[in-house]
Amino acid sequence: MNKLVLPGSIWLASDVHLGPATPATAEAFIGFLQAAAEEADALLLPGDIFDAWIGDDVIRAAPPWLAQALQSLKATAARIPVYLGRGNRDFLIGQELADALGATLLPEPALVDSDFGTLLITHGDEYCTDDAAYQQFRTMVRDPRWQAQFLAKSIPERLQMAQQARGESMAANQSKTLEIMDVNAQAVEAAFRDAGVATLIHGHTHRPDRHVLAIDGKKRERWVLPDWDCDHGASRGGWLVIDRDGLQFYDLDMAA
């Protein structure tokens, strides 16, 4: 499994869902990036930073909302290492974007040797195995052949397909229970055993929390990163900091 060695203070954020309709969320995220550049030794973004990503070629003529986000990410990456992960919304993030930002693509999953110990970090959608329909979709869109066919289409065609897929997903989720869309306990246990770690960090489920588990008689912790939304009602969002003292959640207002 891919392993990173990251000493010092590591900051993690996911599920920001940046897009043209989330200017307040973007403003908060830019403030967070500025704080990370000042205070963190590395920044990990394990997926769904963008609400949709239809291919790296969009950066060649980026709309204003995207250009602003890319500029801020690039400025942060010029000061500290930045790692970009792929989520269920932005699984098409690739090397062109990483190179343009001066960032590094985050392995899937990633083992991170931190000052606190070895951590397993991933987006988390792969653990939602009770949602069979989603897992079929995930397998399809992660297939290099499907991706090549999709990326061969024009940007307007891809945008239309992404909007249609998002609408169908939202409609389908209305009939799914929260349990089906959450992680599967057996999948999580298997991830702990395969990686041989005591701490797993992921996003995706929009259920930020710290879960203490007992697996094979040993204590394990699963930390779930918060999602961000400052454009629809009360603002929410935040990030996780890892250093030699442990792990701690921080709320968005602390980056202001």
Side-chain angles (χ1 to χ4, degrees), residues 3-241:
K3 182 176 284 190
L4 303 173
V5 178
L6 299 176
S9 178
I10 306 169
W11 288 25
L12 295 97
S14 71
D15 299 277
V16 183
H17 301 295
L18 295 175
T22 56
T25 304
E27 182 179 359
F29 184 62
I30 290 170
F32 161 76
L33 291 176
Q34 292 170 343
E38 293 284 345
E39 302 175 34
D41 294 299
L43 173 62
L44 276 61
L45 304 171
D48 281 5
I49 295 304
F50 300 101
D51 197 48
W53 193 258
I54 61 168
D56 287 358
D57 55 339
V58 298
I59 69 176
R60 302 170 198 171
W65 73 267
L66 178 56
Q68 182 184 38
L70 297 179
Q71 181 181 11
S72 297
L73 283 163
K74 186 174 182 179
T76 303
R79 300 185 63 180
I80 61 172
V82 173
Y83 292 84
L84 294 175
R86 302 176 181 92
N88 56 296
R89 305 278 189 90
D90 51 14
F91 54 85
L92 284 172
I93 282 177
Q95 195 62 52
E96 181 178 351
L97 174 61
D99 290 344
L101 298 178
T104 303
L105 293 176
L106 189 66
E108 301 178 78
L111 277 178
V112 175
D113 276 347
S114 74
D115 288 345
F116 182 68
T118 304
L119 317 162
L120 179 63
I121 299 173
T122 188
H123 183 62
D125 57 327
E126 65 268 46
Y127 304 139
C128 299
T129 55
D130 291 331
D131 191 343
Y134 170 70
Q135 292 300 325
Q136 291 175 356
F137 171 80
R138 185 180 191 276
T139 298
M140 178 185 73
V141 299
R142 297 258 177 161
D143 187 314
R145 294 170 296 180
W146 183 92
Q147 293 187 0
Q149 292 173 355
F150 180 80
L151 293 172
K153 300 181 183 297
S154 68
I155 288 179
E157 287 177 310
R158 281 180 267 157
L159 280 171
Q160 183 177 9
M161 291 177 66
Q163 291 168 353
Q164 180 179 350
R166 181 63 186 141
E168 292 173 353
S169 174
M170 292 178 65
N173 287 347
Q174 295 298 316
S175 62
K176 295 177 182 178
T177 65
L178 293 176
E179 289 73 22
I180 286 178
M181 293 188 289
D182 202 354
V183 298
N184 173 276
Q186 288 72 36
V188 167
E189 290 179 8
F192 273 111
R193 291 190 181 104
D194 291 345
V197 297
T199 306
L200 165 65
I201 302 166
H202 69 83
H204 179 65
T205 63
H206 299 189
R207 297 181 180 187
D209 206 346
R210 169 180 172 260
H211 302 270
V212 179
L213 315 169
I215 300 175
D216 301 331
K218 297 179 180 180
K219 178 185 175 182
R220 302 284 186 263
E221 292 189 0
R222 177 171 69 92
W223 292 69
V224 185
L225 300 169
D227 65 308
W228 296 44
D229 189 350
C230 303
D231 293 274
H232 306 93
S235 296
R236 67 177 185 270
W239 68 97
L240 184 67
V241 173

